[in-house]
Amino acid sequence: MTAHASFPNGASQAGAPSSGIVALALPVTDPLAVYARLATLPRSFLLDGGAADPTRARYSYIGAAPYAWVEYEGGVATVDGQPADGDALAVLDGVLSAGRASLGEGGWPEDLPPFKGGAVGFLGYELGGQLETLPPPRAQGIALPDMAVGLYDRVVAIDHVGCRAWVLSSGLPEPDAGLRRARAEAGAREWLDLLTAPADASLSGAAPPTGDGPLLAAPGWRAGWSRAEHEAAVARTVDYIAAGDIYQANITQRFLGALMPGVTPLDLYRRLRGRAAAPFSAVLDLGAGAGGAGRAVVSVSPERFLALDAAGGVETRPIKGTRPRDPDPARDAALAAELLASPKDRAENLMIVDLMRNDLSRVAVVGSVAVPTLCGLESYRTVHHLVSVVTARLKPGLGAIDLLRATFPGGSITGAPKIRAMEIIHELEPARRGPYCGSVLWLGWDGAMDSSIIIRTLAVAGDIVVAQAGGGIVADSDPAAEYEESLVKARALLTALDPAMGWPPAVADVESEAA
């Protein structure tokens, strides 16, 4: 990366007219401190790469107050609440393309982080029903749309490796170039002043004002089904595999709770970040729904779904295979070695690698799909994972929306073959997944994109919060072991909100969650 040169007025060289982007250097590099200020604005977001991993989590992005808002729910796409023609991804593509056309195609600054403004939001798992022929979604599930994405003309970008930060502003949606430039400069200066003004301790990114007590009202977490029901679903999936229907399917379970009054998405994220920080962590404040209740997605996902650079390079990093961490170093190393040597986990991972290779080949240059890493070990605070890396190059003339159409939802949380696995998931799981197993993503003005698989995530609608966890089922899966693995994956989420909870969570009627 080239050196960052600043003009005397604070605007960076990247603010030259060729790009239309104004950049002001920001002396704050703590993403939580920045988000604490901007979270008071409507529909704020935090994409937190605070782990400072230069290959997967170098940057954080924070934004708020989008100039346009796109949702898809009940088969209807809307822009700022008004129905729009086309399917969800087509409508999103149209709004994003309009902003891109205003800014022009050339002169994108190379000395700034990859995302300089554009679209940020999530695609829910059931959006896959728009892209493939699948059974209709179930009625029960968290009251969130199948897609919610904002168009953001201002973002804060933080480079954790370079210890630098910027306020970036495009001036959109102003169509006139001169007026847009003036709007961009005024907007960047407004946020710079906001983020550098003296603050009281409540706006620090560090100590959560909620303390260490429970964030859930009594009785705390409730499991969506019993252990016996979960194990029966796993056993039925194994039967489908034995019959030749599929090679693998991902079966998940839900846990539900009621938030205590006044708990915010930032409160939830602070708790999760302290226990399970991950390279694709995110907070999406989705604003109020139709009934006026607040909505949010709070995630500490370790898994990249798709990354696309402006030159058409694609990367996906599917995760299959998990072991818990252990405080004893010898035992922890033994668990990691066990995972690396596990035939079952390696078989799961290989199946998903093949599925992703197949999906990418639909839109990739012939011969460009490669697997530079197969079943590599990645370790996080609470778990070890097997992670593979698949790369490709997008065909000329195609873009991020074409890539999403070919691959969504990700193979690691569906199964193989994907469509039949999704049909079986629909049969066995009692409720819509909602955001879970979908994707949090950003799409930039220059055509680049990055996205996560939504796992290790809380979905919030009103005072209802839902956590989910699951795993890939293969021919030799043991139902009891699969149930235990799902709890390993869920425990950090559940104990973050209810530190004194009993284990495992009790089963309760969850019909009140229905939208």
Side-chain angles (χ1 to χ4, degrees):
M1 180 175 286
T2 58
H4 179 76
S6 293
F7 292 122
N9 66 359
S12 79
Q13 193 171 4
S18 60
S19 70
I21 302 292
V22 169
L24 301 183
L26 176 69
V28 182
T29 57
D30 176 359
L32 286 187
V34 172
Y35 184 66
R37 293 286 183 99
L38 296 184
T40 60
L41 302 177
R43 289 173 170 153
S44 58
F45 74 83
L46 164 63
L47 306 181
D48 185 5
D53 181 330
T55 61
R56 292 177 293 121
R58 176 169 182 168
Y59 302 105
S60 291
Y61 304 107
I62 306 99
Y67 71 81
W69 188 255
V70 184
E71 287 198 10
Y72 180 80
E73 185 173 11
V76 178
T78 59
V79 179
D80 296 331
Q82 300 302 309
D85 293 333
D87 66 30
L89 291 181
V91 172
L92 173 59
D93 193 30
V95 177
L96 185 62
S97 296
R100 185 176 295 136
S102 293
L103 292 175
E105 296 294 333
W108 295 106
E110 296 181 358
D111 63 339
L112 291 175
F115 183 58
K116 306 163 188 70
V120 177
F122 82 90
L123 312 180
Y125 173 82
E126 277 74 27
L127 192 67
Q130 273 210 329
L131 310 179
E132 305 285 357
T133 302
L134 294 167
R138 294 190 179 277
Q140 186 174 335
I142 187 91
L144 293 177
D146 291 331
M147 181 182 82
V149 179
L151 275 293
Y152 293 85
D153 60 309
R154 284 182 290 182
V155 298
V156 172
I158 299 173
D159 177 357
H160 296 285
V161 173
C163 297
R164 299 180 296 174
W166 304 264
V167 179
L168 307 175
S169 181
S170 67
L172 290 170
E174 172 57 54
D176 179 83
L179 295 177
R180 185 170 63 251
R181 176 72 182 189
R183 186 177 189 273
E185 291 176 347
R189 177 60 62 183
E190 178 187 9
W191 274 21
L192 183 66
D193 291 344
L194 171 65
L195 295 170
T196 55
D200 60 41
S202 67
L203 291 178
S204 166
T210 50
D212 296 322
L215 301 183
L216 298 183
W221 289 108
R222 301 159 290 150
W225 56 6
S226 67
R227 177 170 188 152
E229 288 171 319
H230 183 273
E231 292 185 6
V234 172
R236 181 62 177 143
T237 304
V238 172
D239 289 343
Y240 275 121
I241 295 169
D245 281 52
I246 54 170
Y247 300 107
Q248 180 182 171
N250 183 272
I251 300 300
T252 73
Q253 63 170 321
R254 300 176 305 145
F255 303 91
L256 296 96
L259 294 173
M260 297 180 68
V263 172
T264 69
L266 179 55
D267 295 332
L268 298 177
Y269 182 65
R270 280 169 164 149
R271 285 291 185 89
L272 296 190
R273 193 179 196 262
R275 290 164 171 79
F280 296 97
S281 297
V283 183
L284 303 178
D285 186 337
L286 308 175
R295 308 171 301 170
V297 173
V298 181
S299 181
V300 285
S301 174
E303 184 169 0
R304 168 172 279 157
F305 176 34
L306 296 163
L308 173 67
D309 63 35
V314 180
E315 180 188 81
T316 182
R317 303 178 66 94
I319 291 176
K320 274 295 168 194
T322 303
R323 293 292 186 278
R325 299 298 304 268
D326 194 283
D328 176 66
R331 176 60 182 155
D332 191 59
L335 287 166
E338 174 189 299
L339 177 60
L340 281 168
S342 167
K344 171 187 175 293
D345 291 297
R346 295 182 73 88
E348 281 188 53
N349 200 293
L350 180 59
M351 289 179 201
I352 300 308
V353 166
D354 284 344
L355 188 155
M356 293 306 301
R357 289 173 63 208
N358 180 70
D359 281 355
L360 289 175
S361 69
R362 299 160 68 179
V363 290
V365 172
V366 174
S368 70
V369 179
V371 185
T373 302
L374 182 63
C375 296
L377 180 71
E378 290 185 3
S379 299
Y380 297 92
R381 186 172 300 179
T382 59
V383 293
H384 298 290
H385 284 310
L386 281 188
V387 183
S388 292
V389 180
V390 185
T391 59
R393 182 154 298 280
L394 206 60
K395 291 177 182 176
L398 300 184
I401 298 299
D402 303 292
L403 181 59
L404 289 168
R405 287 189 184 279
T407 57
F408 185 84
S412 66
I413 41 70
T414 52
K418 182 188 283 189
I419 303 308
R420 182 64 182 126
M422 293 176 73
E423 291 172 346
I424 291 169
I425 290 168
H426 182 273
E427 173 194 332
L428 298 177
E429 294 187 4
R432 290 183 293 114
R433 289 181 171 183
Y436 182 68
C437 294
S439 182
V440 170
L441 77 173
W442 62 255
L443 301 101
W445 304 124
D446 60 355
M449 175 181 74
D450 205 354
S451 60
S452 72
I453 295 285
I454 300 181
I455 55 176
R456 316 290 196 274
T457 295
L458 303 172
V460 179
D463 66 344
I464 299 297
V465 58
V466 177
Q468 293 176 250
I473 311 305
V474 292
D476 58 349
S477 287
D478 173 67
E482 294 294 341
Y483 177 78
E484 294 295 337
E485 181 177 319
S486 73
L487 294 187
V488 167
K489 294 173 178 176
R491 189 160 194 167
L493 294 178
L494 304 186
T495 57
L497 272 62
D498 193 2
M501 67 178 293
W503 199 260
V507 178
D509 177 17
V510 296
E511 290 299 319
S512 62
E513 179 221 7

